[in-house]
């Protein structure tokens, strides 16, 4: 049972989750909120000796040079030198924080329990509220902080304080302390454009290991994700501790091994070039930094992340619990037409897509005024009369007649210098006065932190959704920030742009979803450059990568699965040879790879042969049969192409009755080759029937002897559907 309990005598709190626990307490003088436990389940009484040991260490002074007090929210100041969670400058020149606990509260809702701790600086009007939230059905602990300048604002505006604002030099969301272990291994997700979310690992040594983005977005390069173990955990065994930050801008995670041998992780938005001035009376809510403990290896940690996101994050469903609706099979016209978009050409593709079983038709880039290539038109979001002389309505009507939803691509955060919008508002982009404005893909970044720009973006997309019967928006963002200036705020904390940009983005998406609840949104950023808990809370799915080569996708999809559920991951089946890599792969293979998430079609269907269309129609139908298990089931990574020529994943329905296995091989070499694939998470005493062959086998046999793998030489694939019959 999920619960938060408090021992008033010993001033300790225990956060109990379904299969883990988190404990904290307060020092005798009320000055330090201390971390006590994060790991296996325990009782509130078990925290008492841990708290007593900390108190004894301070009373006797036996804390030594190597001691770092495990503060839940580490302030900068005093005789400590590890990574702080909060660093502030005060108007009188003071640059240190001294906390005092002033109160706490435990609140309950239908699906969650929240602990709030109130901290106040002893001398200055700085306040922090630490929030801990747990859901009744999840082992994920959400943590965040609210920072405020407690002095009342003066009437008439301004900061109202003679000394001026409090400047936050670093303001992280939370700090996670790990238990003592001899060694620590860190796993993380790295990559680049067309090679996102590649699993990687390192051994933590003395000092700091930093994962960060300074690009204004989450980035292709690194995910705001970590997983830590003592070096012995496997895919399905051993203890693992992990974290995910819900922030879609520049971020920073610091994994530090202190001189005393302690390990902690501090994380939040990136403080690089981003001090935040807090005026009197102002409050700042920091993003959620979620943590999770698993005793079932890396796979167990992943499944906890998946379940939490399906129930409480994905799609912005107001945290009502239960999985979101299944995502439809979509067709996107980009790789078929590029910028050569016309009403007739899109209608022809819509007919072909519907014939294959697509449920959603998406018109990508190239539909709006002046858009002949990537050099012009961004910002002028009106259908191009040369391409759509009758407007979008006839195409939308045709798509709906075919039984599909209609989707549209937009990139409203960007502008081409060759556009009416830029000519009217050249000051709306990020820039420094008198300096060059760097273009990437012939475009500049609109300063979404500016109220006028944010209002324009909302009004533009809202206008499209009100004018047309649009069911789906693919929201793209194809470049990172440069020249992050805001001349209109010169001398008034223009660096807030890094934070206010993302906060306005969230507000825009929240307002659009509230105004148009039937419209689904896909997060996209030049591939997977903006995938995180923050954007997924406002999206129904995410474009994983611009690389649609099925063999290249396997490590991308595997890495994605460490942090995010299959339903959030959009996978396209595209042409062969692949337009990016030139690799030729069988249609069946391309489908089997794409079926491991939310299936999409992205090839030039007019060039597919009749035989390919027949096979594609059959495979789309097969995907719809397995879709509930893939999108809502528990996921098990059975084999990785990082370790050998075989990749495989298994999905199991919540009740355990339905099982889907997908496996893929690469190019064969003259050496021993895997011939069988052992399954996971089956009831050894139960019987399972292959829904295609009718063969029945015991769960014990499938777990020990496994499935026979295909004998094809190169790029073979396998889809097996099992049903528990006894």
């Amino acid at each position: 049972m999920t619960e938060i309990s408090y021992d008033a005598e010993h001033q300790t709190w225990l956060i109990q989750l379904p299969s883990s626990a988190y404990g904290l307490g307060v020092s005798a003088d009320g000055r330090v909120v201390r971390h006590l436990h994060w790991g296996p389940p325990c009782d509130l009484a078990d925290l008492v000796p841990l708290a007593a040991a900390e108190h004894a260490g301070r009373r006797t002074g036996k804390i030594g040079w190597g001691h770092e007090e495990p503060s839940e929210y580490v302030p900068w100041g005093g005789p400590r030198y590890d990574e702080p969670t909060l660093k502030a400058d005060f108007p009188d020149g003071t640059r240190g924080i001294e906390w005092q606990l002033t109160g706490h509260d435990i609140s309950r809702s239908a699906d969650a329990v929240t602990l709030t701790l109130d901290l106040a600086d002893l001398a200055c009007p700085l306040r922090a509220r630490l929030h801990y939230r747990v859901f009744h059905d999840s082992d994920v602990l959400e943590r965040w902080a609210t920072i405020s300048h407690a002095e009342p604002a003066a009437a008439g505006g301004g900061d109202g304080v003679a000394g001026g604002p409090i400047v936050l030099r670093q303001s992280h969301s939370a700090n996670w302390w790990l238990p003592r272990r001899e060694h620590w291994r860190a796993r993380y997700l790295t990559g680049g454009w067309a090679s996102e979310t590649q699993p990687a690992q390192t051994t933590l040594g003395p000092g700091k290991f930093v994962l960060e983005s300074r690009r204004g977005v989450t980035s292709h390069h690194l995910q705001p994700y970590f997983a830590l173990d003592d070096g012995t955990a496997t895919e399905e065994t051993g203890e693992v501790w992990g974290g995910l930050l819900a922030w879609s801008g520049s971020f920073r995670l610091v994994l530090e091994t202190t001189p005393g041998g302690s390990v902690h992780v501090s994380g939040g938005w990136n403080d690089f070039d981003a001090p935040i001035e807090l005026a009197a009376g102002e409050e700042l809510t920091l993003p959620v930094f979620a943590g999770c403990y698993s005793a079932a290896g890396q796979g167990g940690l992943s499944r906890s992340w998946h379940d939490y996101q399906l129930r409480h994050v994905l799609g912005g469903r107001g945290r009502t619990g239960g999985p979101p609706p299944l995502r439809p099979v979509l067709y996107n016209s980009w790789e078929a037409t590029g910028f050569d978009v016309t009403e007739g050409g899109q209608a022809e593709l819509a007919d072909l897509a519907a014939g294959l079983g697509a449920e959603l038709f998406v018109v990508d880039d190239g539909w709006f005024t002046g858009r002949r290539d990537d050099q012009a038109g961004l910002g002028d979001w009106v259908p191009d009369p040369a391409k759509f002389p009758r407007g979008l309505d006839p195409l939308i009507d045709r798509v709906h007649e075919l039984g599909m939803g209609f989707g549209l691509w937009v990139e409203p955060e960007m502008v081409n210098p060759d556009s009416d919008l830029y000519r009217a508002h050249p000051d709306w982009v990020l820039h420094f006065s008198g300096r060059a404005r760097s273009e990437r893909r012939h475009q500049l970044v609109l300063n979404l932190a500016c109220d006028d720009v944010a209002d324009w973006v909302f009004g533009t997309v809202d206008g499209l959704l009100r004018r047309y019967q649009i069911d789906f928006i693919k929201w793209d963002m194809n470049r990172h920030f440069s020249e992050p200036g805001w001349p209109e705020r010169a001398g008034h904390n223009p660096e807030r742009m890094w934070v206010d940009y993302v906060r306005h983005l969230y507000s825009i998406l929240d307002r659009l979803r509230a105004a148009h609840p039937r419209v689904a949104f896909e997060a996209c950023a030049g591939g997977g450059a903006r995938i995180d808990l923050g954007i997924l809370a406002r999206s129904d799915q995410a474009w994983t990568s611009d690389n649609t080569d099925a063999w290249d996708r396997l490590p991308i999809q595997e890495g994605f699965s460490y942090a995010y559920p299959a339903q959030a991951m959009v996978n396209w089946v595209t042409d062969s040879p692949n337009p990016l890599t030139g690799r030729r792969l069988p249609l069946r293979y391309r489908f089997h790879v794409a079926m491991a998430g939310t299936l999409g079609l992205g090839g030039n269907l007019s060039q597919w042969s009749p035989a390919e269309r027949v096979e594609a129609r059959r495979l789309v139908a097969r995907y719809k049969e397995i879709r509930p298990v893939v999108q809502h089931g528990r996921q098990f990574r059975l084999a990785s192409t990082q370790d050998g020529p075989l990749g495989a994943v298994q999905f199991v329905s919540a009740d355990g009755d339905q099982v889907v296995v997908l496996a893929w091989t690469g190019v064969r070499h003259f050496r021993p080759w895997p011939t069988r694939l052992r399954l996971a998470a089956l009831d050894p005493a139960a019987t399972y029937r292959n829904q295609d062959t009718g063969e029945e086998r015991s769960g014990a046999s499938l777990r020990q002897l496994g499935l026979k793998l295909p004998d094809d030489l190169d790029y073979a694939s396998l889809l097996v559907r099992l049903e528990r019959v006894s």
Side-chain angles (χ1 to χ4, degrees):
M1 174 64 179
T2 298
E3 186 53 274
I4 298 178
S5 50
Y6 176 57
D7 182 333
E9 179 183 356
H10 300 96
Q11 289 189 290
T12 56
W13 295 267
L14 177 65
I15 302 173
Q16 295 171 307
L17 300 98
S19 57
S20 61
Y22 191 95
L24 58 156
V26 62
S27 60
D29 58 8
R31 297 281 298 278
V32 180
V33 178
R34 292 199 188 103
H35 175 73
L36 298 176
H37 173 75
W38 184 23
C42 66
D43 295 324
L44 186 57
D46 296 329
L47 300 181
V48 174
L50 298 177
E54 286 289 341
H55 293 328
R58 291 188 63 83
R59 283 198 308 271
T60 61
K62 295 179 180 179
I63 55 178
W65 285 93
H67 178 82
E68 296 87 21
E69 193 153 37
S71 174
E72 280 288 288
Y73 202 68
V74 179
W76 188 82
R80 68 177 307 150
Y81 310 98
D82 55 337
E83 186 72 20
T85 321
L86 188 69
K87 183 180 186 300
D89 296 354
F90 297 100
D92 64 358
T94 300
R95 299 193 311 279
I97 301 169
E98 296 182 2
W99 290 131
Q100 180 77 37
L101 179 69
T102 60
H104 81 276
D105 177 70
I106 299 174
S107 60
R108 294 172 173 82
S109 65
D111 62 347
V113 187
T114 303
L115 168 66
T116 303
L117 304 178
D118 293 313
L119 304 178
D121 185 84
L122 289 175
C124 297
L126 178 68
R127 304 290 183 266
R129 304 196 80 194
L130 310 185
H131 308 276
Y132 301 75
R133 178 167 56 199
V134 289
F135 296 96
H136 296 311
D137 54 7
S138 173
D139 264 299
V140 171
L141 169 60
E142 293 184 339
R143 293 181 58 190
W144 73 98
T146 304
I147 311 299
S148 60
H149 187 324
E151 191 165 339
D159 61 43
V161 182
I166 297 173
V167 181
L168 304 181
R169 298 292 178 185
Q170 180 161 306
S171 46
H172 282 177
S173 297
N175 181 71
W176 299 94
W177 289 94
L178 280 298
R180 290 277 180 167
R181 295 292 186 270
E182 191 69 23
H183 305 286
W184 282 104
R185 172 175 56 186
R187 305 186 200 224
Y188 57 104
L189 301 172
T190 185
W193 175 77
S195 60
E196 297 89 337
T197 57
Q198 305 282 314
Q201 64 182 46
T202 189
T203 299
L204 292 187
K208 298 177 182 179
F209 180 65
V210 179
L211 304 171
E212 70 171 352
S213 167
R214 297 182 179 182
R215 300 168 182 264
V217 295
T218 320
S219 87
H220 302 91
H221 182 214
L222 287 165
Q223 271 285 314
Y225 160 92
F226 75 88
L228 289 166
D229 73 280
D230 66 359
T232 65
T234 68
E235 178 65 20
E236 296 296 336
T237 64
E239 294 183 299
V240 187
W241 292 258
L244 273 171
L245 179 68
W247 184 244
S248 306
S250 298
F251 70 88
R252 188 166 184 257
L253 307 185
V254 182
L255 290 71
E256 180 177 20
T257 305
T258 69
S262 299
V263 170
H264 67 136
V265 183
S266 183
W269 55 46
N270 203 325
D271 55 279
F272 177 78
D273 190 46
I276 302 294
E277 294 182 3
L278 275 187
E282 187 175 1
E283 183 176 88
L284 188 67
T285 299
L286 306 179
V288 166
F289 190 8
C292 186
Y293 164 82
S294 170
Q298 187 69 48
L301 180 65
S302 296
R303 288 186 289 276
S304 290
W305 286 129
H306 300 169
D307 189 62
Y308 157 71
Q309 291 170 58
L310 287 173
R311 291 177 178 273
H312 303 292
V313 177
L314 191 61
R317 295 164 294 105
R319 300 184 176 277
T320 57
L326 295 171
R327 299 303 306 142
V329 176
L330 67 81
Y331 176 80
N332 183 290
S333 64
W334 171 249
E335 293 197 3
T337 63
F339 296 105
D340 187 19
V341 175
T342 64
E343 179 186 329
Q346 296 296 301
E348 178 186 349
L349 288 169
D351 287 342
L352 293 170
L356 300 186
E359 300 158 311
L360 173 65
F361 182 84
V362 183
V363 177
D364 210 279
D365 198 352
W367 60 269
F368 46 96
T369 299
R371 194 64 164 174
R372 306 293 186 273
D373 50 36
D374 64 3
Q375 299 183 38
L378 280 180
D380 301 338
W381 299 103
V382 177
D384 191 328
K387 300 180 177 185
F388 295 92
R390 301 185 297 165
L392 289 177
D393 290 314
L395 176 61
I396 295 174
D397 291 343
R398 177 58 182 160
V399 168
H400 286 157
E401 288 170 4
L402 291 167
M404 297 185 293
F406 179 83
L408 199 63
W409 177 94
V410 296
E411 192 177 5
E413 301 167 63
M414 300 291 146
V415 65
N416 288 125
D418 185 3
S419 68
D420 291 341
L421 177 67
Y422 185 78
R423 285 184 280 272
H425 298 285
D427 56 321
W428 275 11
V429 301
L430 296 178
H431 69 286
F432 294 122
S433 296
R435 297 299 179 99
R437 303 183 181 193
S438 301
E439 295 181 25
R440 293 292 183 271
R441 205 172 180 254
H442 308 289
Q443 62 195 51
L444 299 168
V445 183
L446 291 171
N447 183 3
L448 212 59
C450 174
D451 290 341
D452 289 345
V453 176
D455 289 343
W456 176 86
V457 170
F458 171 79
T460 297
V461 180
D462 179 64
L464 287 171
L465 296 178
R466 291 184 186 280
R467 168 63 182 82
Y468 300 106
Q469 293 297 308
I470 297 171
D471 306 288
F472 176 91
I473 288 289
K474 180 173 182 176
W475 187 294
D476 208 344
M477 196 266 199
N478 272 301
R479 64 157 295 181
H480 302 151
F481 294 3
S482 61
E483 296 85 43
W486 193 353
E488 292 78 5
R489 284 188 62 101
H492 299 280
N493 197 198
E495 303 94 335
R496 284 192 69 130
M497 180 280 303
W498 294 101
V499 169
D500 289 348
Y501 184 107
V502 180
R503 297 171 79 192
H504 271 166
L505 172 67
Y506 288 169
S507 175
I508 291 166
L509 291 171
D510 290 343
R511 291 169 64 195
L512 288 171
R513 294 187 70 95
H516 309 279
R518 67 175 188 82
V519 178
F521 286 76
E522 177 177 301
C524 179
R530 191 162 64 188
I531 298 173
D532 53 77
L533 294 183
I535 204 69
L536 289 180
R538 297 158 175 88
S539 308
D540 299 274
Q541 58 194 49
W543 179 229
T544 319
S545 176
D546 285 344
N547 189 345
T548 60
D549 179 294
W551 176 249
D552 279 2
R553 288 286 293 212
L554 291 178
I556 296 172
Q557 295 179 189
E558 178 187 335
F560 188 99
S561 75
Y562 278 86
Y564 308 112
Q567 180 165 343
M569 180 174 64
V570 179
N571 305 329
W572 288 2
V573 178
T574 56
D575 294 332
S576 182
N578 183 268
L580 183 66
T581 67
R583 183 180 282 117
R584 296 180 181 273
L585 294 170
L587 183 64
R588 182 171 178 265
Y589 188 91
R590 285 176 270 148
F591 262 95
H592 284 170
V593 171
M595 285 179 178
T598 289
L599 178 65
L601 308 174
N604 188 354
L605 302 183
S606 63
Q607 300 299 313
W608 288 18
S609 69
E612 287 177 315
R613 293 177 194 167
V614 169
E615 184 177 12
R617 187 181 307 115
R618 179 184 63 81
L619 289 166
V620 168
R622 179 58 51 86
Y623 174 75
K624 291 176 182 178
E625 294 171 355
I626 67 172
R627 174 166 51 188
V629 183
V630 171
Q631 293 192 16
H632 289 169
R634 293 176 295 139
Q635 183 173 353
F636 297 83
R637 292 180 291 267
L638 302 181
S640 170
T641 54
Q642 291 200 113
D643 302 324
L646 174 66
V649 65
Q650 174 184 330
F651 300 92
V652 182
S653 62
D655 60 9
D657 288 346
Q658 304 294 322
V659 180
V660 174
V661 180
L662 290 160
W664 320 272
T665 62
V667 177
R668 284 208 175 203
H669 302 285
F670 186 72
R671 61 173 183 243
W673 187 261
T675 59
R676 303 195 73 84
L677 178 67
R678 295 168 63 182
L679 305 190
L682 303 185
D683 180 355
T687 299
Y688 294 84
R689 177 185 297 124
N690 186 311
Q691 292 178 275
D692 295 309
T693 68
E695 178 188 17
E696 294 187 359
R697 293 176 58 188
S698 70
S701 171
L702 290 165
R703 292 177 65 160
Q704 295 302 317
L705 302 178
L707 299 170
K708 185 180 183 303
L709 291 169
D711 295 324
D712 309 51
L713 285 178
D714 296 331
Y715 299 119
S717 61
L718 180 71
L719 165 61
V720 174
R721 302 178 300 155
L722 302 173
E723 181 180 17
R724 182 164 60 183
V725 294
S726 67

